[in-house]
Amino acid sequence: RPPPPPPAPPRAERRLTELLGERADLDRQERADEEAREDAETWLADWEETRAGLQAGIDSAQQAATTARELAVLRDPARQRLNAARLRDRLAGETRTAEEQARAARERALAAKQHWLDLKEQRLNGIAAELAAGLTDGEPCAVCGATEHPAPARKVAGHVDRETEERALADHQRADDHRAEAERRLGAVREALAAAGAEAGDGATEQLSRAVDELERQYAQARDAASALHAEQERLRRAEDEHELRITAQREAAVRAASRVGHRERLDREHAALEEELAQARGDAPSVAARAAQLERSVGLLTDAADTARAAEEAAQRLKEADARLADAAFRAGFDTPGAAAEALLDDAAHRELQRRLDAWQHEEAAVRAVLAEPETVAAAQQPPADLGSAQRAAEDADRRVREAASARGAADRRCAELDRLSARAAASVRRLGPLREEYERVARMAGLTAGTSADNERKMRLESYVLAARLEQVAAAATVRLHRMSSGRYTLVHSDDRTGRGRSGLGLHVVDAWTGRERDTATLSGGETFFASLALALGLADVVTDEAGGVRLDTLFIDEGFGSLDDQALDEVLDVLDSLRERDRSVGIVSHVGDLRRRIHAQLEVVKGRSGSELRRRGTR
């Protein structure tokens, strides 16, 4: 609170005091303006460097945002390839397991069938004992009709009855069903492995995993750098506002300094006049200096209070402007209040979790849509409801057939009795032919298996075909390397031992289409695709022959025609593969009438017809 006012001084002293106060104010204002001017000059001297640094930060954040968008586009394909590679590795192990299980199931099925045939043969050998068990003294024999039975056959140890034979037959059928199921599982696993391998490519899982981790790291780094874009833009805007304020303050300080010069000169003149007047009349005051000092202290306190009030008012105004800018920034970011923006801020872990859940949901949605779009699912949804009347009529018809079957079974039982009587007559002949028949059946069974005519050889595969199939698998694997490149990663050749119609099996080839993920016959390929496959098989056969021949190379390869069915892109891919062979010191000769090959192949031998015969012309030096 200011001090109480002094006694009213004379006019001169009061004016002198006012002059001293005005001069003090001028001095204070001059010091303040000088400090403000020096501060503004110092700040403005670094303005260009400051603005360039802030703009560089904005440019860096914008570049990081662009990089983050580009990396985001690459993340999903990289993850899909990594998942396919992991599935490929897992399916490779499952394939080996399924092959072992299928081989074991086939062995068990063969053993069960052999056991059943052995038991059946033993039962036929001991059928006389079964017939003798039903003989009764005084009643005729069902085989010979005699009423006396002096020496009926006896069951020996290890006799096989009908129930034992039927159990062996049931075991054989179950083992055969298990074998078929194991082979079906093996085929499904192989198909899934081919699809996963086509999608994953040739890259190793660890390499793909490192690539995905590096991509994720770069994406997170770019996203973090891009998140600073808004803050950098806000800093630049505040710096520009500060720049305008500094320039305005500097200009205003210069104007005030110019106005103070004239004011100070007027005050000096008036002060000199008042000093002269006060020298003559001081009034009741002890001294003018004492009075001036007292007034100057009061003026200083009041001036400080006024400065403090102005500073408080300026601080309140700046706070209000800062709140307005904060609210505007929150509104532009999509929030109602700055508090809502602060509450919505997520840390990196929460953001990654939300992104992972979004990716999982999108992957699951794509899988469900793919299943719903399958033809089998669509066809099942379009099936009409079941007809209860037709089902009832079918049940009645089945009951009728059961009764007819029961009647037929009675007739069959009577025929079985007659057959049992006839079998006793044939038993003696069977025993005589038993050793020879056993040897014959063993040799015939082995001959039928090797020739592919036996019922046990379900695929009708000859022994030589079985041996050659192993070589064909090697040729298909070597051919796939070239075919995969010529078809832009679409086709893969695999060996197939499936039967075609009623023919034999063992040396078949199928192609796996990476676009559909399915395995199909090579006959479904187009003309150009068939040429791809044939060329790849020829090259694969050359590689296998080279490996089998102990390193002896096939240095020359001739290709006769086949290029006329290829488009420009396919022709370029085939020539790239052939160039890769030439780069390995192999000579590749092409016989063709296709005009494009004349422009693409520089080293040529051209056959030119003439009246006196044909002649060769050499073109190019390549």
Side-chain angles (χ1 to χ4, degrees), residues 89-208:
D89 296 344
R90 179 173 61 81
L91 290 177
E94 294 181 2
T95 300
R96 291 190 293 272
T97 303
E99 289 175 349
E100 293 294 333
Q101 293 176 353
R103 182 166 52 254
R106 286 195 293 269
E107 293 176 355
R108 288 194 297 270
L110 290 175
K113 185 174 183 180
Q114 184 63 41
H115 179 63
W116 167 60
L117 292 176
D118 293 342
L119 292 180
K120 185 175 182 180
E121 184 175 359
Q122 292 178 15
R123 180 169 178 265
L124 290 176
N125 293 334
I127 196 68
E130 289 189 17
L131 295 175
L135 295 177
T136 304
D137 292 338
E139 295 183 0
C141 176
V143 178
C144 62
T147 57
E148 294 182 358
H149 318 294
R154 304 298 183 199
K155 294 182 179 181
V156 299
H159 175 73
V160 178
D161 54 9
R162 182 189 297 272
E163 295 180 357
T164 303
E165 179 188 353
E166 290 178 350
R167 285 196 300 271
L169 177 59
D171 292 340
H172 161 59
Q173 293 174 346
R174 284 193 298 271
D176 192 64
D177 293 339
H178 292 163
R179 176 195 59 76
E181 177 64 20
E183 291 181 351
R184 185 192 64 78
R185 288 197 300 269
L186 176 58
V189 172
R190 283 177 174 174
E191 182 177 355
L193 176 60
E199 183 177 0
D202 299 331
T205 304
E206 295 181 356
Q207 181 180 358
L208 293 176

Side-chain angles (χ1 to χ4, degrees), residues 243-304:
H243 176 260
E244 293 297 329
L245 291 176
R246 296 281 183 170
I247 291 177
T248 302
Q250 187 180 31
R251 187 182 302 113
E252 291 177 352
V255 172
R256 288 194 299 269
S259 64
R260 278 195 301 269
V261 173
H263 192 193
R264 186 180 295 276
E265 292 177 354
R266 183 179 58 80
L267 291 178
D268 289 340
R269 289 192 300 270
E270 188 175 359
H271 182 268
L274 290 175
E275 284 288 347
E276 184 179 355
E277 182 180 356
L278 288 176
Q280 299 175 0
R282 288 187 172 85
D284 297 334
S287 65
V288 176
R291 183 61 175 169
Q294 181 181 2
L295 293 175
E296 189 174 2
R297 285 195 300 272
S298 298
V299 169
L301 292 175
L302 292 174
T303 302
D304 293 339

